[in-house]
Amino acid sequence: MNKSRPINLKLSTIYFPITAISSILHRISGVIMLFLFGIFLWLLDLSLSSQENFHYVEILFDNFYFRLTIWSILTVFIYHIVNGIRHILMDFRWLSETLKTGIFSSYIVFVISILFSILLAGVFIW
């Protein structure tokens, strides 16, 4: 084992390219979706169980912090879906797998995700 290789334990000095950030966020958003999808299922079950529970869910949506939480979850869903479409396009070779295309498509994913989370999720929630 080579003991003379450099060890960098200062995480603030490590530079991640935009493609790495996009990939890491895609994985993190997938894990977040796995755990938080239950919230939507619970709300759906609650709202469909009785009329009183439906009104309870309506009252929940009047709370600003609850709306902010739902908007955050929808933003994670939107990012994961948009980045997933990017990966599918690359898998089917409709986008080339070059570094230039990867960088450009990562920026496009971020822009589309921000626009959709503001325009679609924001308008839908508020």
Side-chain angles (χ1 to χ4, degrees):
M1 179 192 238
N2 186 3
K3 299 215 181 225
S4 65
R5 65 183 187 159
I7 297 175
N8 185 2
L9 298 177
K10 226 176 176 183
L11 294 178
S12 62
T13 61
I14 297 174
Y15 169 75
F16 289 110
I18 189 72
T19 53
I21 294 169
S22 175
S23 177
I24 292 167
L25 287 178
H26 183 72
R27 292 168 193 229
I28 291 172
S29 67
V31 171
I32 290 171
M33 282 177 39
L34 176 70
F35 290 113
L36 295 182
F37 193 68
I39 291 175
F40 284 121
L41 289 178
W42 172 72
L43 286 173
L44 179 64
D45 180 54
L46 190 65
S47 67
L48 294 176
S49 62
S50 69
Q51 189 172 6
E52 293 83 23
N53 287 339
F54 179 78
H55 291 300
Y56 176 72
V57 172
E58 279 185 330
I59 291 169
L60 279 177
F61 270 97
D62 287 337
N63 186 353
F64 173 77
Y65 295 111
F66 186 79
R67 284 185 181 189
L68 185 65
T69 302
I70 296 297
W71 178 79
S72 302
I73 294 169
L74 285 177
T75 300
V76 168
F77 285 175
I78 288 170
Y79 175 77
H80 191 79
I81 289 170
V82 171
N83 205 355
I85 291 171
R86 171 183 165 245
H87 283 290
I88 289 172
L89 292 176
M90 287 182 154
D91 287 343
F92 285 130
R93 308 240 189 258
W94 291 337
L95 286 177
S96 64
E97 294 182 355
T98 61
L99 180 62
K100 184 178 178 182
T101 304
I103 292 170
F104 182 72
S105 63
S106 293
Y107 282 118
I108 294 297
V109 163
F110 284 123
V111 168
I112 290 174
S113 297
I114 289 169
L115 288 177
F116 278 7
S117 67
I118 291 171
L119 297 176
L120 291 180
V123 169
F124 178 70
I125 297 294
W126 279 283

